[in-house]
Amino acid sequence: MPKKLIVDGNEIEVEDGITLLQACEMAGAEIPRFCYHERLSIAGNCRMCLIEVEGAPKPVASCAQTVNDLRPNRDGSPNVIHTKSPTVKKAREGVMEFLLINHPLDCPICDQGGECDLQDQAMAYGIGGSRYHENKRAVEDKYIGPLIKTIMTRCIHCTRCVRYMTEIAGVEELGLAGRGEDAEITTYLENGILSEMSANVIDLCPVGALTHRPWAHHARPWELKKTESIDVMDAVGSNIRVDTRGAEVMRILPRNNDAVNEEWISDKTRHVCDGLKTQRLDQPYLRKDGRLVPVSWDEALGAVAENLANASGDKIGAIAGDLAGAEEMFALKELMASLGVNNIDCRAPNEALDPSNGRSSYLFNSTIEGIDRADAILLIGTNPRLEAPVLNARIRKRWRAGGLSVGLIGEAADLTYAHEYIGAGPDALASVASGRHMFAGILRQAKAPMIIVGSALYARPGASALLAQAAKIAQAAGSGIEPGHAVFNVLHTAAARVAGLDLGFVPTSGGLDTSAMISAAGSNNLDVVYLLGADEIDMSALGNAFVIYQGTHGDAGAHRADVILPGAAYTEKSAIYANTEGRVQMTQKAIFPPGQAKEDWTVIRALSQRLGKTLPFDSLQQLRAKLFQATPNLQRIDDIGPHGDDCLGQLANLPGSAGDQPFVNRITDFYLTNPISRASAIMAELSALKAQKQATGQLRAAE
């Protein structure tokens, strides 16, 4: 039941179970803290959040005491709390004085300077000097990987990093060793941390003990221009902030969005920015005498227009890649339609997801936030730890709360939470679909079950039959669910996929899908292949086709291309993306594309003019007006749009043979999944470190 408090003279009513710190902040008071974080367990070891409760013998640590712990007054009046009294002021000054006894005070050379909690709170709550003159202790710096720079002499032992790694990331590699003056935060094996989300400890550290190693001593926070944007390294659509100086992306930080990524991002999202600067395509190229040579835009577009004009519509194919924005996919689709081309696809080879089965057939319908309510989750053909680390952390968060059963069908993996391994392939899936396996009963009894289908299931031969079995499991599990809860979920790995399917960037009127286009090109039945940032296909299978590659990096597509049209990366354009749950979000231009590179939709618009098929828009606003007219749900920013389990009946009747081959996850190396990450030296170092650890047995084989 609600409880009344008087905080600094203001009477408020708060709900049961919240901490005094939260109650005081609800009343408008500002409570300093170092160890407390709302997403981590309570430690209560910095004592900076001390407040005065009338009737208590001494100041109270507000983070570690709840409103229910307060002793009621004899007359039944509300408890009275002071956050600005002389007692509180003196207590906080004393705590700050203690914290600074051993702190090196090296702010001029500290990367945390300008955004340091200790700096800010020392100014606000500290005193001008110290009564302690003993020598400061020194602590040896630890190597905990290529992402995190450590200067442990600055550490104030708040243990935020330890609690984060243990509770959120699920990798118990950091701990507080020793006692008293010998206490140190360290890795247990004196080794580099290798978690897909380890670098979030840098944001959590309230001092400069843990900072960005790749970014160290490169810039100061106040020098940077800050742009709010969206991540495209996976299909979760994590909210990020891109910090730039001049024409360079200096770092990427998370933004809070409780419905998507809370306040976490993966290590790839955070540290891939060096890949935005290397191996960039900054001018057009044309293959002459077997070699790619730089040419002007006019010559490059002329060569593309000539080959497209000389080929019939059924001899042209277009494939959109994993990082393409909705605008350029829409523009390319319109251009191909004007040329009579039906061979278009945004999906990976053998991918069975089809917009004709309904929008909910390719969405994460339970929503990412819905994981918090789940009581049974069946993972089929996916390893979310590698495919969507932030989403996997959400599952772990729900598992730690208790009452969640997790089953896995596919490749064995260490998912950071306990789960039942059911089997490796279609046979295990059939055993659950038929009700023979006990996990089928767990799903039927659950009030909020979830089936999560990954690319190892829907992007392989026989995927239609496998999708049908997954839909039948979802139908059986949906018999006793809570109202409004969806069961069937698709976990994508590509940021562009949902928007592409929403746009209908799939074959029309008997056109060829991605697999068929690759096969047709290999047998010389396709004359021209247009790759819109598509690098994740077998380029050697394209035969003698004339390949047009429009993209950002000198990756697989550029190596095979006959013409290269340089485009813009996600930090260099405003583009619409829909994440795996269908949530529509938009990137913002933080910097301009390098050299002669252009925003992708402008390249396609210029090409349409050269072909005499001028597209009906001259600006991004006009393009989006046409886009929204064709696909209305893409204009509802931060909205998921239509979703649910209405597709299950149609999916359950899909024909085909499932085969007996075990599921094989598409992502084997988390750090090298797209052209930007493959151009990153930091990602290459992390990939090599993980391979080395696996070879020496320091990582379990399941990882």
Side-chain angles (χ1 to χ4, degrees):
M1 59 180 294
K3 187 176 180 66
K4 289 185 178 180
L5 299 173
I6 297 176
V7 180
D8 294 337
N10 300 318
E11 184 172 320
I12 61 167
E13 192 171 78
V14 298
E15 60 186 82
D16 260 0
I18 69 170
T19 64
L20 293 179
L21 186 152
Q22 292 169 316
C24 291
E25 292 196 331
M26 288 173 63
E30 183 178 304
I31 307 296
R33 84 291 301 267
F34 291 114
C35 68
Y36 175 79
H37 191 279
E38 56 269 19
R39 302 194 196 279
L40 302 176
S41 60
I42 303 295
N45 53 8
C46 78
R47 320 309 284 183
M48 195 64 203
C49 64
L50 293 173
I51 59 173
E52 183 181 1
V53 178
E54 284 192 9
K58 59 183 179 180
V60 171
S62 60
C63 73
Q65 190 169 121
T66 69
V67 294
N68 305 76
D69 297 328
L70 292 174
R71 182 191 301 172
N73 293 327
R74 290 182 178 179
D75 59 359
S77 61
N79 292 98
V80 179
I81 295 172
H82 302 286
T83 69
K84 299 175 183 177
S85 66
T87 300
V88 172
K89 182 175 183 293
K90 183 179 179 182
R92 290 175 180 171
E93 288 174 350
V95 169
M96 182 59 67
E97 193 175 5
F98 274 122
L99 286 174
L100 296 178
I101 289 174
N102 282 310
H103 198 76
L105 305 179
D106 54 351
C107 301
I109 61 161
C110 178
D111 270 320
Q112 198 88 333
E115 49 190 11
C116 173
D117 290 347
L118 186 62
Q119 257 185 353
D120 296 341
Q121 293 185 41
M123 289 294 293
Y125 303 102
I127 54 178
S130 174
R131 290 168 289 177
Y132 298 92
H133 302 290
E134 290 81 5
N135 291 332
K136 294 179 182 289
R137 76 166 191 162
V139 181
E140 182 183 351
D141 293 340
K142 313 295 190 301
Y143 176 78
I144 59 174
L147 300 183
I148 305 169
K149 179 180 174 66
T150 64
I151 303 181
M152 301 312 293
T153 302
R154 299 171 182 162
C155 180
I156 62 170
H157 299 162
C158 71
T159 67
R160 278 187 183 183
C161 54
V162 176
R163 285 175 284 147
Y164 168 81
M165 292 303 298
T166 303
E167 297 165 14
I168 309 295
V171 180
E172 299 180 3
E173 293 188 13
L174 271 183
L176 181 66
R179 300 183 67 182
E181 192 174 80
D182 296 324
E184 296 183 27
I185 302 288
T186 181
T187 55
Y188 295 116
L189 301 176
E190 295 289 333
N191 214 321
I193 295 174
L194 208 59
S195 161
E196 295 75 22
M197 296 180 61
S198 63
N200 287 299
V201 298
I202 298 164
D203 297 329
L204 291 172
C205 184
V207 296
L210 305 176
T211 55
H212 291 254
R213 183 180 291 275
W215 192 68
H217 310 304
H218 278 63
R220 286 296 199 179
W222 54 85
E223 301 173 349
L224 306 177
K225 173 189 169 188
K226 301 165 179 63
T227 306
E228 295 186 350
S229 192
I230 302 299
D231 173 52
V232 299
M233 292 297 110
D234 54 33
V236 172
S238 298
N239 289 214
I240 59 173
R241 192 186 85 195
V242 181
D243 287 0
T244 58
R245 185 176 62 183
E248 186 177 0
V249 175
M250 300 300 295
R251 63 177 181 177
I252 293 172
L253 299 176
R255 282 190 297 129
N256 189 80
N257 187 332
D258 286 344
V260 182
N261 59 305
E262 297 183 302
E263 59 188 82
W264 318 124
I265 52 175
S266 72
D267 291 350
K268 182 164 56 176
T269 296
R270 183 186 298 268
H271 286 292
V272 80
C273 52
D274 70 315
L276 293 165
K277 295 175 272 192
T278 53
Q279 297 184 23
R280 287 302 300 269
L281 301 173
D282 58 0
Q283 63 186 75
Y285 289 84
L286 178 63
R287 193 174 294 278
K288 296 180 179 179
D289 300 324
R291 295 185 61 190
L292 286 168
V293 296
V295 295
S296 66
W297 269 107
D298 187 64
E299 187 175 352
L301 290 175
V304 173
E306 180 184 351
N307 280 273
L308 287 173
N310 291 338
S312 60
D314 61 338
K315 297 289 186 181
I316 301 172
I319 302 173
D322 293 353
L323 307 183
E327 289 85 353
E328 52 259 34
M329 286 192 284
F330 176 74
L332 184 58
K333 181 188 176 189
E334 294 295 296
L335 177 60
M336 291 295 125
S338 70
L339 296 173
V341 177
N342 297 323
N343 309 321
I344 64 171
D345 208 349
C346 66
R347 301 167 298 186
N350 299 312
E351 200 166 292
L353 302 177
D354 192 338
S356 65
N357 294 323
R359 189 168 190 256
S360 58
S361 69
Y362 56 84
L363 292 185
F364 199 92
N365 296 292
S366 301
T367 74
I368 296 171
E369 206 169 15
I371 294 171
D372 296 342
R373 300 186 298 273
D375 52 2
I377 298 177
L378 177 61
L379 304 168
I380 311 173
T382 180
N383 179 351
R385 182 174 176 184
L386 300 184
E387 296 174 9
V390 174
L391 184 143
N392 192 65
R394 196 107 184 195
I395 299 176
R396 175 176 168 78
K397 171 187 169 185
R398 173 64 190 89
W399 171 78
R400 289 188 72 248
L404 175 67
S405 300
V406 182
L408 173 63
I409 300 175
E411 286 191 43
D414 177 5
L415 299 175
T416 72
Y417 41 84
H419 61 275
E420 181 178 352
Y421 184 63
I422 299 171
D427 290 344
L429 181 63
S431 70
V432 178
S434 63
R436 298 194 310 271
H437 196 279
M438 62 176 291
F439 205 83
I442 294 174
L443 290 170
R444 283 195 298 271
Q445 294 167 13
K447 297 298 182 184
M450 291 177 63
I451 313 297
I452 301 179
V453 173
S455 55
L457 181 144
Y458 63 74
R460 58 170 269 165
S464 294
L466 295 168
L467 274 173
Q469 289 188 333
K472 289 173 183 173
I473 295 173
Q475 283 179 320
S479 54
I481 62 172
E482 299 172 345
H485 178 78
V487 179
F488 184 77
N489 301 281
V490 174
L491 179 58
H492 290 276
T493 57
R497 193 74 78 242
V498 172
L501 293 169
D502 281 349
L503 289 166
F505 200 97
V506 292
T508 56
S509 303
L512 305 177
D513 62 13
T514 300
S515 299
M517 278 189 267
I518 295 171
S519 178
S523 56
N524 297 324
N525 291 324
L526 214 59
D527 295 337
V528 181
V529 178
Y530 198 118
L531 302 178
L532 182 62
D535 292 273
E536 315 305 323
I537 62 173
D538 184 3
M539 300 296 170
S540 64
L542 295 179
N544 297 320
F546 184 84
V547 176
I548 304 155
Y549 178 76
Q550 181 178 338
T552 59
H553 286 73
D555 206 71
H559 287 207
R560 172 59 186 84
D562 295 291
V563 177
I564 294 176
L565 307 175
Y570 69 106
T571 55
E572 299 157 5
K573 62 187 176 186
S574 176
I576 292 171
Y577 291 86
N579 74 349
T580 191
E581 59 182 348
R583 185 181 302 274
V584 180
Q585 303 184 107
M586 189 183 296
T587 64
Q588 298 296 338
K589 181 188 287 189
I591 56 174
F592 287 94
Q596 299 178 40
K598 310 288 184 186
E599 291 188 44
D600 294 274
W601 74 267
T602 64
V603 175
I604 298 168
R605 168 62 175 76
L607 178 59
S608 71
Q609 192 169 359
R610 294 295 293 264
L611 286 163
K613 307 283 187 181
T614 306
L615 294 172
F617 42 80
D618 298 318
S619 66
L620 184 60
Q621 289 72 25
Q622 293 176 0
L623 184 157
R624 282 182 176 158
K626 297 286 184 184
L627 169 64
F628 297 154
Q629 188 177 356
T631 315
N633 68 280
L634 289 180
Q635 69 182 315
R636 295 194 287 266
I637 301 299
D638 204 34
D639 186 66
I640 294 176
H643 67 289
D645 279 342
D646 53 312
C647 66
L648 294 182
Q650 198 161 342
L651 287 180
N653 292 320
L654 289 177
S657 173
D660 57 2
Q661 293 298 312
F663 297 126
V664 179
N665 293 332
R666 285 181 62 196
I667 294 181
T668 54
D669 191 333
F670 167 73
Y671 301 105
L672 306 175
T673 56
N674 58 58
I676 301 174
S677 62
R678 286 191 287 268
S680 166
I682 298 169
M683 294 299 109
E685 185 178 356
L686 287 166
S687 176
L689 178 61
K690 183 165 186 176
Q692 178 189 352
K693 280 197 167 190
Q694 286 177 328
T696 57
Q698 294 181 45
L699 279 181
R700 289 188 290 273
E703 289 185 46

